Amino acid sequence: MLTELLQGIEAGGFLVIQDSCSYSGRHLLKSFINAALNRAEVVHVLGFDVSEEELKDGLRTSDTQRLHIHSAYTDPLGWTERPAFTVHQFRLEDLTDLVKQTPHPKPATLIIDSLSWILRHVTPPAVCKTLHQLRKGGAVRAVIGLLHADMHQRGTVGSVCHLATSLIAVAPGAKGDEAVAKITKRSKFRKVMQDEEIFSLNGDFTVTIHSKRSNPEQNWNDAEEEQVDPTAELTFNLRLSDSELEAKKKLMLPFVFSKEKLATLSQPAFLK
Amino acid sequence: MAAPLSSVSKTSAERLPFNTTSFQKKTRSKLISIPGTRPSVQNGQLLVSTGVTSLDYLLGGGLAVGTVLLIEEDRYDSYSRMILKYFLAEGVVCQHELFVAAAQDNPDDIIQELPAPILDDVAIHKPVEQPRLPCEPPDNLDAMNIAWRYQNLPKVQSALASSSRFGHYYDVSKTMEPEIRQAAKFHRFYLPEHLAQPSTTHSPMLESYSALLKSLQEVIHKEGFDLAAPMSKSRNILRVGLHSLGSTLWGDDLSCHDNPKHRHALTTFLYGLRALMRSSLSVAVVTVPSHLIQDRALMGSITRLCDNAIALESFKGSERETNPLYKDYHGLLHVHQVPHLNCLASQLPDHKDLAFKLKRKQFSIERLHLPPDLSETVSRVSRGELAGATSACGSGTSGTKHLDF
Amino acid sequence: MFTELNSILNASPDSFTQGEFILVSDRQSDASFLIHHFLSFYLRARCRVCFLGLVQSFCHYNAVGQRLGVSLTQAKEKGQLIFLEGLKESLSILIPHENNTEHQAMNFLRDPAVGLRSLYEFVRSGLTGSGSSEEGAEEWGPPVLLVDDLSVLLSLGVGTGAVLDFSHYCRATACSQLQGNMVMLVRCNGDEEEDGDEGSEWLLKGLSHQCSLALHVQGLPTGYCKDIHGQVEVCWRMRQGDGQHTQKKLFQYKVHDKGASFFARGTSSAVL
């Protein structure tokens, strides 16, 4: 499913790449950018997290007319006199203006790196509303956003992902280069497809899929170890039956003194 | 700064470049020694005694001047208050100046409860005698008959001589004599006496803490404890005792709510206190009712803002009081933090399990050791008693399975 | 400067990676010895250093620096070191008097809701240096920012978002614009909190996303030991285009009088 997504997101689609501290989803994001550029699409990038140089590193920059990077990295809050793009400009009007600045016949794909930065300064309802309006409006064709899931409350992450048509959650894999992607895709007819794939990224940000797990539920069953029952094959009894318990209680231990013993001892045979 | 020994004598402007070693020869001129202090053997820090000799040992020889000791109170504030009184009593005996702040009890009452020192070399200040008329023969009942050669030597010193020892012992069953107590200079801050002034800033610090910080700074400036102040012949140490900060009587809701509104009031105050301590010849002991503070992360921040941190956990009222294992002790003592000022590594005590006992003449802290189990009978447990016990081995299912042998 | 740590990080005063954001964090231990290491390292490398010493006095850093072979007083006089002594400057703001000169950088103490913009302005002027170069002024290497530590800002009432913004701006200036380095210390408590967007754990996660090298210092999982003071986990977050692998290595360490020794797990000289 990952390759399908890389081949193109449907119009009006919203893809969220969820990552965490342990594995950064930015490289996968760059794969999507490269794939879009290869398809001769126009790409606008809102860069908050990393600098423009870092974003451009590895991308196909030969067609500079189609790739537009709006870097909000140096001054996202407007602390200097001439900010390029601030986080408060994340609104439908400003974004539409931004995209329309560079006229192209085709509607563009908007890449947001990262949604987490915006969510720290703009309330989640406002962000969700802007994203929804972007999708419905005609200015951009599709939106791809990077979200750091460990930076927000679960509800915030859930609300933003609820709007998404596709969701890729990446995590580090077992081996060094590999990573695991859990993909959820909602198609037009509200059908939900899920998949889990192991992939790795090559030098030019193309993706190599290593294996597919067609049935992710099976995987979870395997993960649970079978409960080994230690009492299965024993050579002794762990439990006593009731009659055995009674017998145990009645058992007279050798050196415990009792009336019967006294009677036995006072027999004339012993006194001699 | 926590004053290293040599810099006491110089202002920062005229300090010579440091040697590469930290060893300072005693023959350096201008070295002023302050009574009741001694340099640390580890890094030359100037140390004062807390009044409890075993606590001094745990903290690496004593409290470094310029640092703050945090005491997390025990549940009924009996032993933490005792340590605070030991600290202040030590200050009186060493002739340091005292600054006591409290919101609950009047600082005068705290001073009157100070324990009496067990000393043989501290003389009590006798009231100046009426000068005799020259015609009266200078005979008195104490005329010496046998040791008459020593008759004319001066009698017991009339001024309170400072004890040259580091760390003293106190008798908690007696309070300090008024003569000794009144010889010490004592500044007080009692919160109910201070009018609440509305704060002009949006600082997270409460008015009570701001007033306390301001009052402390004034004392430091006026009495000449500032390190930047011009050198006078005699320098002294200011001992600051702050009782039960963070409790509700200071106006703080830190101990009331899980999510306090004045979350950063105490931490901001402690930052200001650290700044004051580092820039003056003073040492502070702060007690905090940490058992009431629910937010562990906040307790962690409070601990990090103090240099030394210990916590007292008394057995009173808990099930451990009757536990025969703990009968030799009054409670547990935890050392949470020891500073490493002017050096890289800190010296945490070797043992983590420490217990304390307040005896009449000593507050002893020692490693907790359990007495040997000398019970005479080993009883056989019957089936009925086992039913309550959870099974330790095997199944992760219910614990009602029990073994019959 | 710890020689063993230099070899682990593959750095020396003559050659080190530029544009790095090094995050030092600790949990229930004290990682400030690493700050002293980096301070002496960059002073030896003849970099221009801007040091925000918020938790200790200048004498303390100077005394430790002496043991590690650098003199902070000399560096300050020569103009190599710009030092902000947080404790000293804070008093004039915490206890306001009529004619007090306040240091602008500590303005956040007066009203923490305002944020750390003035502190950032101080950092920026410290890193870029005075415009006019005096006669015979020495040329220093790339600028370096050191902060000890960020968690105390949280204790003083500054919001976690404001601290993240501050570190973002510092990184944009120090690492990206000036191609210098940045080292910041964050101190956390014992347990990792769940789900939240406040507190030092969240700050740590946000900074981990931003950093390029992370050093996590912790106590030993087996408990307190006199000879081994704890463990350090070194994480390299590679950003180059040649694949993505976050390399992690675990070491144990012991701090002694003039330095610290690092060794692989289980190879402490006390044990062998």
mmCIF file of all heavy atoms in Angstrom, chain A residues 21 27 48 54 73 75-77 79 117 120-121 148 150-151 153-154 177 203, chain C residues 117 161 165 168-169 172 176 195 197 202 205-206 209 237 239-241 244-245:
data_model
loop_
_atom_site.group_PDB
_atom_site.id
_atom_site.type_symbol
_atom_site.label_atom_id
_atom_site.label_comp_id
_atom_site.label_asym_id
_atom_site.label_seq_id
_atom_site.Cartn_x
_atom_site.Cartn_y
_atom_site.Cartn_z
ATOM 1 N N CYS A 21 10.109 10.355 18.437
ATOM 2 C CA CYS A 21 11.536 10.675 18.636
ATOM 3 C C CYS A 21 12.433 9.602 18.085
ATOM 4 O O CYS A 21 13.537 9.864 17.629
ATOM 5 C CB CYS A 21 11.885 10.729 20.118
ATOM 6 S SG CYS A 21 11.239 12.053 20.988
ATOM 7 N N HIS A 27 12.210 11.708 6.319
ATOM 8 C CA HIS A 27 12.773 11.123 5.100
ATOM 9 C C HIS A 27 11.671 10.527 4.231
ATOM 10 O O HIS A 27 11.723 10.601 3.011
ATOM 11 C CB HIS A 27 13.809 10.065 5.464
ATOM 12 C CG HIS A 27 15.016 10.672 6.106
ATOM 13 N ND1 HIS A 27 16.247 10.685 5.519
ATOM 14 C CD2 HIS A 27 15.169 11.317 7.281
ATOM 15 C CE1 HIS A 27 17.108 11.304 6.310
ATOM 16 N NE2 HIS A 27 16.477 11.697 7.380
ATOM 17 N N PHE A 48 8.701 24.417 8.784
ATOM 18 C CA PHE A 48 8.849 25.012 10.108
ATOM 19 C C PHE A 48 9.992 24.361 10.873
ATOM 20 O O PHE A 48 10.770 25.017 11.531
ATOM 21 C CB PHE A 48 7.551 24.831 10.923
ATOM 22 C CG PHE A 48 6.435 25.708 10.488
ATOM 23 C CD1 PHE A 48 5.492 25.261 9.594
ATOM 24 C CD2 PHE A 48 6.324 26.988 10.991
ATOM 25 C CE1 PHE A 48 4.447 26.085 9.202
ATOM 26 C CE2 PHE A 48 5.289 27.808 10.604
ATOM 27 C CZ PHE A 48 4.347 27.363 9.702
ATOM 28 N N GLU A 54 18.303 21.961 4.683
ATOM 29 C CA GLU A 54 18.116 20.581 5.113
ATOM 30 C C GLU A 54 16.964 19.933 4.369
ATOM 31 O O GLU A 54 16.990 18.743 4.068
ATOM 32 C CB GLU A 54 17.809 20.570 6.610
ATOM 33 C CG GLU A 54 18.785 19.773 7.422
ATOM 34 C CD GLU A 54 18.434 19.786 8.884
ATOM 35 O OE1 GLU A 54 18.668 20.829 9.528
ATOM 36 O OE2 GLU A 54 17.921 18.775 9.355
ATOM 37 N N TYR A 73 11.336 28.645 8.987
ATOM 38 C CA TYR A 73 12.259 28.126 9.995
ATOM 39 C C TYR A 73 12.978 29.231 10.735
ATOM 40 O O TYR A 73 13.142 29.198 11.947
ATOM 41 C CB TYR A 73 13.262 27.199 9.292
ATOM 42 C CG TYR A 73 14.378 26.712 10.167
ATOM 43 C CD1 TYR A 73 14.155 25.789 11.164
ATOM 44 C CD2 TYR A 73 15.676 27.173 9.980
ATOM 45 C CE1 TYR A 73 15.186 25.335 11.959
ATOM 46 C CE2 TYR A 73 16.706 26.724 10.773
ATOM 47 C CZ TYR A 73 16.461 25.796 11.761
ATOM 48 O OH TYR A 73 17.477 25.351 12.550
ATOM 49 N N ASP A 75 12.204 32.407 11.218
ATOM 50 C CA ASP A 75 11.456 33.327 12.064
ATOM 51 C C ASP A 75 9.973 32.982 12.030
ATOM 52 O O ASP A 75 9.183 33.686 11.407
ATOM 53 C CB ASP A 75 11.690 34.768 11.597
ATOM 54 C CG ASP A 75 11.112 35.762 12.584
ATOM 55 O OD1 ASP A 75 10.728 35.346 13.703
ATOM 56 O OD2 ASP A 75 11.038 36.949 12.254
ATOM 57 N N PRO A 76 9.589 31.920 12.692
ATOM 58 C CA PRO A 76 8.182 31.518 12.601
ATOM 59 C C PRO A 76 7.240 32.364 13.440
ATOM 60 O O PRO A 76 6.036 32.323 13.239
ATOM 61 C CB PRO A 76 8.200 30.070 13.106
ATOM 62 C CG PRO A 76 9.418 29.961 13.914
ATOM 63 C CD PRO A 76 10.401 30.944 13.397
ATOM 64 N N LEU A 77 7.773 33.110 14.392
ATOM 65 C CA LEU A 77 6.881 33.866 15.267
ATOM 66 C C LEU A 77 6.945 35.356 15.021
ATOM 67 O O LEU A 77 6.336 36.135 15.741
ATOM 68 C CB LEU A 77 7.230 33.599 16.741
ATOM 69 C CG LEU A 77 7.059 32.153 17.177
ATOM 70 C CD1 LEU A 77 7.604 31.970 18.578
ATOM 71 C CD2 LEU A 77 5.592 31.784 17.162
ATOM 72 N N TRP A 79 9.658 37.391 15.266
ATOM 73 C CA TRP A 79 10.492 38.121 16.213
ATOM 74 C C TRP A 79 11.437 39.099 15.529
ATOM 75 O O TRP A 79 12.008 39.976 16.173
ATOM 76 C CB TRP A 79 11.311 37.134 17.068
ATOM 77 C CG TRP A 79 10.515 36.451 18.130
ATOM 78 C CD1 TRP A 79 9.188 36.605 18.402
ATOM 79 C CD2 TRP A 79 10.996 35.504 19.077
ATOM 80 N NE1 TRP A 79 8.809 35.804 19.443
ATOM 81 C CE2 TRP A 79 9.904 35.124 19.887
ATOM 82 C CE3 TRP A 79 12.248 34.933 19.336
ATOM 83 C CZ2 TRP A 79 10.023 34.199 20.912
ATOM 84 C CZ3 TRP A 79 12.365 34.014 20.369
ATOM 85 C CH2 TRP A 79 11.254 33.653 21.146
ATOM 86 N N TRP A 117 4.461 21.707 14.838
ATOM 87 C CA TRP A 117 4.871 23.079 15.122
ATOM 88 C C TRP A 117 3.663 24.009 15.119
ATOM 89 O O TRP A 117 3.506 24.865 15.988
ATOM 90 C CB TRP A 117 5.860 23.533 14.041
ATOM 91 C CG TRP A 117 7.022 24.270 14.590
ATOM 92 C CD1 TRP A 117 8.295 23.811 14.726
ATOM 93 C CD2 TRP A 117 7.027 25.598 15.099
ATOM 94 N NE1 TRP A 117 9.089 24.762 15.283
ATOM 95 C CE2 TRP A 117 8.342 25.880 15.535
ATOM 96 C CE3 TRP A 117 6.061 26.586 15.244
ATOM 97 C CZ2 TRP A 117 8.705 27.088 16.083
ATOM 98 C CZ3 TRP A 117 6.427 27.809 15.802
ATOM 99 C CH2 TRP A 117 7.738 28.045 16.210
ATOM 100 N N ARG A 120 1.358 23.694 18.095
ATOM 101 C CA ARG A 120 1.812 24.282 19.361
ATOM 102 C C ARG A 120 1.374 25.720 19.506
ATOM 103 O O ARG A 120 1.309 26.263 20.608
ATOM 104 C CB ARG A 120 3.341 24.223 19.454
ATOM 105 C CG ARG A 120 3.809 22.987 20.136
ATOM 106 C CD ARG A 120 5.166 23.118 20.762
ATOM 107 N NE ARG A 120 6.232 23.385 19.840
ATOM 108 C CZ ARG A 120 6.954 24.497 19.874
ATOM 109 N NH1 ARG A 120 6.706 25.419 20.770
ATOM 110 N NH2 ARG A 120 7.926 24.684 19.005
ATOM 111 N N HIS A 121 1.119 26.371 18.366
ATOM 112 C CA HIS A 121 0.795 27.794 18.463
ATOM 113 C C HIS A 121 -0.605 28.131 18.044
ATOM 114 O O HIS A 121 -1.125 29.182 18.421
ATOM 115 C CB HIS A 121 1.776 28.597 17.613
ATOM 116 C CG HIS A 121 3.152 28.586 18.193
ATOM 117 N ND1 HIS A 121 3.555 29.508 19.118
ATOM 118 C CD2 HIS A 121 4.177 27.736 18.019
ATOM 119 C CE1 HIS A 121 4.788 29.231 19.474
ATOM 120 N NE2 HIS A 121 5.182 28.162 18.824
ATOM 121 N N HIS A 148 4.356 14.829 14.760
ATOM 122 C CA HIS A 148 5.123 14.120 15.788
ATOM 123 C C HIS A 148 4.154 13.671 16.862
ATOM 124 O O HIS A 148 3.735 14.455 17.714
ATOM 125 C CB HIS A 148 6.181 15.040 16.388
ATOM 126 C CG HIS A 148 7.099 15.639 15.378
ATOM 127 N ND1 HIS A 148 7.843 14.890 14.504
ATOM 128 C CD2 HIS A 148 7.372 16.932 15.098
ATOM 129 C CE1 HIS A 148 8.551 15.691 13.733
ATOM 130 N NE2 HIS A 148 8.289 16.928 14.061
ATOM 131 N N ASP A 150 4.297 11.977 19.553
ATOM 132 C CA ASP A 150 4.619 11.999 20.974
ATOM 133 C C ASP A 150 4.669 13.411 21.536
ATOM 134 O O ASP A 150 5.025 13.630 22.679
ATOM 135 C CB ASP A 150 5.944 11.277 21.243
ATOM 136 C CG ASP A 150 7.054 11.766 20.338
ATOM 137 O OD1 ASP A 150 6.816 12.681 19.526
ATOM 138 O OD2 ASP A 150 8.157 11.212 20.431
ATOM 139 N N MET A 151 4.349 14.402 20.697
ATOM 140 C CA MET A 151 4.421 15.781 21.159
ATOM 141 C C MET A 151 3.069 16.334 21.550
ATOM 142 O O MET A 151 2.958 17.482 21.944
ATOM 143 C CB MET A 151 4.996 16.661 20.050
ATOM 144 C CG MET A 151 6.429 16.396 19.772
ATOM 145 S SD MET A 151 7.423 17.270 20.938
ATOM 146 C CE MET A 151 7.030 18.923 20.484
ATOM 147 N N GLN A 153 -1.170 15.585 23.030
ATOM 148 C CA GLN A 153 -2.064 14.682 23.735
ATOM 149 C C GLN A 153 -2.709 13.754 22.720
ATOM 150 O O GLN A 153 -2.820 14.072 21.545
ATOM 151 C CB GLN A 153 -3.150 15.488 24.444
ATOM 152 C CG GLN A 153 -2.586 16.329 25.560
ATOM 153 C CD GLN A 153 -3.649 17.193 26.182
ATOM 154 O OE1 GLN A 153 -4.812 17.133 25.787
ATOM 155 N NE2 GLN A 153 -3.275 17.984 27.142
ATOM 156 N N ARG A 154 -3.107 12.628 23.245
ATOM 157 C CA ARG A 154 -3.676 11.627 22.339
ATOM 158 C C ARG A 154 -4.887 12.153 21.592
ATOM 159 O O ARG A 154 -5.103 11.828 20.422
ATOM 160 C CB ARG A 154 -4.078 10.397 23.158
ATOM 161 C CG ARG A 154 -3.554 9.113 22.583
ATOM 162 C CD ARG A 154 -3.736 7.987 23.547
ATOM 163 N NE ARG A 154 -2.799 8.051 24.637
ATOM 164 C CZ ARG A 154 -2.973 7.412 25.794
ATOM 165 N NH1 ARG A 154 -4.021 6.698 26.003
ATOM 166 N NH2 ARG A 154 -2.083 7.511 26.751
ATOM 167 N N ASP A 177 18.525 -0.370 9.321
ATOM 168 C CA ASP A 177 18.002 0.532 8.300
ATOM 169 C C ASP A 177 16.499 0.478 8.180
ATOM 170 O O ASP A 177 15.894 1.365 7.592
ATOM 171 C CB ASP A 177 18.586 0.133 6.938
ATOM 172 C CG ASP A 177 19.985 0.679 6.797
ATOM 173 O OD1 ASP A 177 20.467 1.260 7.787
ATOM 174 O OD2 ASP A 177 20.573 0.525 5.730
ATOM 175 N N GLY A 203 19.288 6.000 -0.914
ATOM 176 C CA GLY A 203 19.971 7.286 -0.893
ATOM 177 C C GLY A 203 19.195 8.384 -1.572
ATOM 178 O O GLY A 203 19.219 9.534 -1.148
ATOM 179 N N ARG C 117 11.821 35.790 24.486
ATOM 180 C CA ARG C 117 12.333 36.527 23.330
ATOM 181 C C ARG C 117 13.549 37.366 23.691
ATOM 182 O O ARG C 117 14.521 37.431 22.950
ATOM 183 C CB ARG C 117 11.225 37.420 22.782
ATOM 184 C CG ARG C 117 11.636 38.121 21.541
ATOM 185 C CD ARG C 117 10.474 38.820 20.920
ATOM 186 N NE ARG C 117 10.931 39.627 19.810
ATOM 187 C CZ ARG C 117 10.112 40.295 19.028
ATOM 188 N NH1 ARG C 117 8.807 40.239 19.243
ATOM 189 N NH2 ARG C 117 10.578 41.011 18.037
ATOM 190 N N GLY C 161 6.191 25.411 25.837
ATOM 191 C CA GLY C 161 6.171 25.856 24.452
ATOM 192 C C GLY C 161 7.122 27.007 24.216
ATOM 193 O O GLY C 161 7.811 27.071 23.192
ATOM 194 N N ASP C 165 10.247 27.142 21.650
ATOM 195 C CA ASP C 165 10.434 28.209 20.660
ATOM 196 C C ASP C 165 11.816 28.822 20.800
ATOM 197 O O ASP C 165 12.495 29.096 19.804
ATOM 198 C CB ASP C 165 9.383 29.309 20.871
ATOM 199 C CG ASP C 165 7.986 28.840 20.531
ATOM 200 O OD1 ASP C 165 7.877 27.869 19.763
ATOM 201 O OD2 ASP C 165 7.026 29.446 21.036
ATOM 202 N N HIS C 168 14.321 26.622 19.344
ATOM 203 C CA HIS C 168 14.211 26.629 17.889
ATOM 204 C C HIS C 168 14.931 27.826 17.306
ATOM 205 O O HIS C 168 15.719 27.710 16.368
ATOM 206 C CB HIS C 168 12.730 26.657 17.491
ATOM 207 C CG HIS C 168 12.490 26.751 16.022
ATOM 208 N ND1 HIS C 168 12.165 25.670 15.237
ATOM 209 C CD2 HIS C 168 12.563 27.803 15.165
ATOM 210 C CE1 HIS C 168 12.028 26.055 13.986
ATOM 211 N NE2 HIS C 168 12.245 27.341 13.904
ATOM 212 N N TYR C 169 14.669 28.987 17.880
ATOM 213 C CA TYR C 169 15.310 30.198 17.371
ATOM 214 C C TYR C 169 16.818 30.153 17.571
ATOM 215 O O TYR C 169 17.585 30.571 16.719
ATOM 216 C CB TYR C 169 14.708 31.435 18.072
ATOM 217 C CG TYR C 169 13.543 32.028 17.336
ATOM 218 C CD1 TYR C 169 12.247 31.582 17.568
ATOM 219 C CD2 TYR C 169 13.738 33.042 16.405
ATOM 220 C CE1 TYR C 169 11.184 32.134 16.888
ATOM 221 C CE2 TYR C 169 12.684 33.595 15.729
ATOM 222 C CZ TYR C 169 11.407 33.133 15.975
ATOM 223 O OH TYR C 169 10.343 33.690 15.294
ATOM 224 N N ALA C 172 18.190 27.966 14.948
ATOM 225 C CA ALA C 172 18.187 28.609 13.635
ATOM 226 C C ALA C 172 19.352 29.573 13.511
ATOM 227 O O ALA C 172 19.999 29.672 12.468
ATOM 228 C CB ALA C 172 16.859 29.339 13.423
ATOM 229 N N SER C 176 22.159 26.825 12.051
ATOM 230 C CA SER C 176 21.926 26.942 10.617
ATOM 231 C C SER C 176 22.545 28.203 10.037
ATOM 232 O O SER C 176 23.233 28.150 9.032
ATOM 233 C CB SER C 176 20.426 26.932 10.343
ATOM 234 O OG SER C 176 19.831 25.867 11.017
ATOM 235 N N ASP C 195 1.426 10.938 27.931
ATOM 236 C CA ASP C 195 0.480 11.890 27.371
ATOM 237 C C ASP C 195 0.382 13.275 27.967
ATOM 238 O O ASP C 195 -0.422 13.523 28.788
ATOM 239 C CB ASP C 195 -0.891 11.285 27.706
ATOM 240 C CG ASP C 195 -1.697 11.280 26.447
ATOM 241 O OD1 ASP C 195 -1.027 11.104 25.422
ATOM 242 O OD2 ASP C 195 -2.880 11.451 26.515
ATOM 243 N N ASP C 197 1.143 17.746 27.549
ATOM 244 C CA ASP C 197 1.912 18.705 26.767
ATOM 245 C C ASP C 197 2.465 19.768 27.682
ATOM 246 O O ASP C 197 2.448 20.933 27.384
ATOM 247 C CB ASP C 197 1.064 19.314 25.649
ATOM 248 C CG ASP C 197 -0.273 19.807 26.171
ATOM 249 O OD1 ASP C 197 -0.506 19.702 27.401
ATOM 250 O OD2 ASP C 197 -1.070 20.292 25.377
ATOM 251 N N TRP C 202 7.955 16.337 28.199
ATOM 252 C CA TRP C 202 7.505 16.819 26.891
ATOM 253 C C TRP C 202 8.574 17.704 26.264
ATOM 254 O O TRP C 202 8.814 17.662 25.052
ATOM 255 C CB TRP C 202 6.200 17.593 27.083
ATOM 256 C CG TRP C 202 5.517 17.938 25.825
ATOM 257 C CD1 TRP C 202 4.962 17.090 24.934
ATOM 258 C CD2 TRP C 202 5.344 19.250 25.292
ATOM 259 N NE1 TRP C 202 4.435 17.789 23.897
ATOM 260 C CE2 TRP C 202 4.647 19.103 24.083
ATOM 261 C CE3 TRP C 202 5.698 20.531 25.737
ATOM 262 C CZ2 TRP C 202 4.297 20.206 23.309
ATOM 263 C CZ3 TRP C 202 5.342 21.605 24.956
ATOM 264 C CH2 TRP C 202 4.650 21.438 23.748
ATOM 265 N N LYS C 205 11.130 15.516 24.752
ATOM 266 C CA LYS C 205 10.733 14.920 23.460
ATOM 267 C C LYS C 205 10.839 15.943 22.346
ATOM 268 O O LYS C 205 11.325 15.655 21.255
ATOM 269 C CB LYS C 205 9.288 14.425 23.552
ATOM 270 C CG LYS C 205 9.146 13.155 24.312
ATOM 271 C CD LYS C 205 7.745 12.618 24.207
ATOM 272 C CE LYS C 205 7.543 11.552 25.270
ATOM 273 N NZ LYS C 205 6.204 11.541 25.787
ATOM 274 N N GLY C 206 10.364 17.164 22.634
ATOM 275 C CA GLY C 206 10.433 18.189 21.610
ATOM 276 C C GLY C 206 11.854 18.491 21.205
ATOM 277 O O GLY C 206 12.164 18.661 20.020
ATOM 278 N N HIS C 209 13.437 15.850 18.969
ATOM 279 C CA HIS C 209 13.107 15.960 17.551
ATOM 280 C C HIS C 209 14.019 16.955 16.861
ATOM 281 O O HIS C 209 14.320 16.828 15.685
ATOM 282 C CB HIS C 209 11.658 16.419 17.382
ATOM 283 C CG HIS C 209 10.667 15.309 17.485
ATOM 284 N ND1 HIS C 209 10.477 14.377 16.501
ATOM 285 C CD2 HIS C 209 9.810 14.983 18.465
ATOM 286 C CE1 HIS C 209 9.538 13.521 16.870
ATOM 287 N NE2 HIS C 209 9.115 13.860 18.050
ATOM 288 N N ARG C 237 21.430 11.139 15.515
ATOM 289 C CA ARG C 237 20.303 11.212 14.590
ATOM 290 C C ARG C 237 20.860 11.729 13.277
ATOM 291 O O ARG C 237 21.061 12.922 13.110
ATOM 292 C CB ARG C 237 19.232 12.160 15.120
ATOM 293 C CG ARG C 237 18.516 11.655 16.346
ATOM 294 C CD ARG C 237 17.702 12.769 16.929
ATOM 295 N NE ARG C 237 16.708 13.261 16.006
ATOM 296 C CZ ARG C 237 15.462 12.791 15.944
ATOM 297 N NH1 ARG C 237 15.091 11.827 16.745
ATOM 298 N NH2 ARG C 237 14.608 13.299 15.091
ATOM 299 N N ARG C 239 21.165 12.935 9.611
ATOM 300 C CA ARG C 239 20.259 13.647 8.739
ATOM 301 C C ARG C 239 20.658 13.574 7.290
ATOM 302 O O ARG C 239 20.023 14.150 6.437
ATOM 303 C CB ARG C 239 20.221 15.128 9.154
ATOM 304 C CG ARG C 239 19.635 15.301 10.524
ATOM 305 C CD ARG C 239 19.657 16.760 10.905
ATOM 306 N NE ARG C 239 19.032 16.969 12.179
ATOM 307 C CZ ARG C 239 17.725 17.036 12.368
ATOM 308 N NH1 ARG C 239 16.922 16.911 11.365
ATOM 309 N NH2 ARG C 239 17.214 17.211 13.557
ATOM 310 N N GLN C 240 21.743 12.875 7.025
ATOM 311 C CA GLN C 240 22.160 12.858 5.620
ATOM 312 C C GLN C 240 21.198 12.039 4.792
ATOM 313 O O GLN C 240 20.395 11.276 5.292
ATOM 314 C CB GLN C 240 23.559 12.251 5.479
ATOM 315 C CG GLN C 240 24.660 13.108 6.029
ATOM 316 C CD GLN C 240 24.844 12.865 7.496
ATOM 317 O OE1 GLN C 240 24.260 11.941 8.025
ATOM 318 N NE2 GLN C 240 25.621 13.697 8.145
ATOM 319 N N GLY C 241 21.336 12.217 3.515
ATOM 320 C CA GLY C 241 20.416 11.522 2.629
ATOM 321 C C GLY C 241 20.710 10.048 2.490
ATOM 322 O O GLY C 241 19.942 9.301 1.900
ATOM 323 N N GLN C 244 18.471 6.352 6.686
ATOM 324 C CA GLN C 244 18.194 6.918 8.007
ATOM 325 C C GLN C 244 18.438 5.850 9.044
ATOM 326 O O GLN C 244 17.742 4.855 9.106
ATOM 327 C CB GLN C 244 16.734 7.359 8.029
ATOM 328 C CG GLN C 244 16.090 7.263 9.367
ATOM 329 C CD GLN C 244 15.867 8.614 9.973
ATOM 330 O OE1 GLN C 244 15.143 9.415 9.413
ATOM 331 N NE2 GLN C 244 16.512 8.876 11.067
ATOM 332 N N HIS C 245 19.459 6.003 9.812
ATOM 333 C CA HIS C 245 19.491 5.135 10.970
ATOM 334 C C HIS C 245 19.919 5.942 12.173
ATOM 335 O O HIS C 245 20.909 6.649 12.141
ATOM 336 C CB HIS C 245 20.399 3.923 10.793
ATOM 337 C CG HIS C 245 21.544 4.166 9.873
ATOM 338 N ND1 HIS C 245 21.477 3.862 8.550
ATOM 339 C CD2 HIS C 245 22.760 4.672 10.090
ATOM 340 C CE1 HIS C 245 22.631 4.171 7.997
ATOM 341 N NE2 HIS C 245 23.419 4.669 8.897
#
